Amino acid sequence: MSFLRLFICVVGVYSMFLLWAIAQERLAVPFPSIDGSPDARFKSALFIGTCQSAASTISSLIYLLVRRKPGQSFLSLIGLEAEHSASKSNGVANGVGQNGNHVVHHKKGGLFTERTKALIKVYFQCSLLITLAAPFGFAALAHISYPTMVLGKSCKLVPVMIMNVLLYRRKFAPHKYLVVFMVTVGITMFMGFSNEGSSKKHKVGGDSELTKNGLLGMTYLLINLALDGAINSTQDEIFAKYKVNGQQMMFFINLTSTVITSVLSVLPLPNIPVIHPSNSSKSELKIVLDFIKLHPSVRTPLAQFALTGSLGQLFIFETLQHFGSLTLVMITLTRKLFTMILSVVVYNHKLTLGQWGGAAVVFAGIGVEAWVKRRDVHAKRVMQEKEKAKIKIL
């Protein structure tokens, strides 16, 4: 049963995110129009984010409802009511009298506690960071090739480390600095040894992606990674401080993200580079609907992007819950490698020998991180077995 569950998780992560990657890259290139006008790119990162977050909200809520424990309140189900508060209230109720005291403690675990208000606030902050980060990642694809994007996104450890140090004053083991060095060298090699930078559909106009456009794309990607680092470090803080599970966080962050992007989509925003790159007085939603009407072929990759992304997140949290972070790291590491290879095959990107070498250095660096983590987990299990043996002897 355990092997079957792992097999389903691996197939789910691979299939969903490989399809998600194909849809993401398709959304970054021009779409043909039905009225004979020139092909045009879909530029609304806000709407793409809304589709993704709305689908993720629905899928995570369905997951939580399916896994709901008997008698569990809805607030506890979505993580707004701490479970330890409920157990304490039951204990007091059984000891003193169920009617009076139970009601008092239930209010303490409700919507208006300090914990709940603080949790909603930090969820909102995280969602706001996600709303800001997504457009920069999408804009980067107009200037760099998708394999470069995948390789850059594989280096999330670097901004996560930086943001943890800057925001929460955390320290890291020495091997992590080696990993950061290898990743940086690999990315530099990949960018420097590019002879095309992209395929014809993604051409940025130079012999290397270290051109003006390529560097602009990398700047967008670095901003995206920096915001991702702040998001991940904030999520780590939520897990540690508020004791919620992955699906609860997935539900609430995507719910608040949907609210934020939906509000922004109906407002007549001014021209905001990257986030709302339009001089039109129309709302983002009106611009998107007009674009879809003229370019109906955009519907399929939009739906594919939202659906596969939301289901892929569920498989990730399922893997994390039952098999731990080490297994998840190995799955996501190999998945990114296959994503890059699939992009090369599907969209006919041309990579030089130097670029493959750079990619190898990056994945070797990430492999060092996975190996050290595996060693630490094994050592921890050995210590736990020794402790169990001592207890049995006593």
Side-chain angles (χ1 to χ4, degrees), residues 29-50:
V29 297
F31 289 89
S33 63
I34 58 175
D35 65 350
S37 58
D39 295 356
R41 290 180 63 248
F42 185 75
K43 298 181 180 180
S44 180
L46 279 177
F47 188 77
I48 292 175
T50 304

Side-chain angles (χ1 to χ4, degrees), residues 18 51 61 71 77 163 189 218 227 231 273 293-294 317 323 328 336 364 379 381:
L18 288 176
C51 293
L61 180 59
L77 178 72
M163 289 301 170
M189 288 175 60
M218 284 304 297
L227 291 170
I231 292 163
K293 186 177 179 180
L294 282 176
F317 284 121
F323 302 102
L328 181 60
K336 287 174 181 176
R381 286 176 180 171

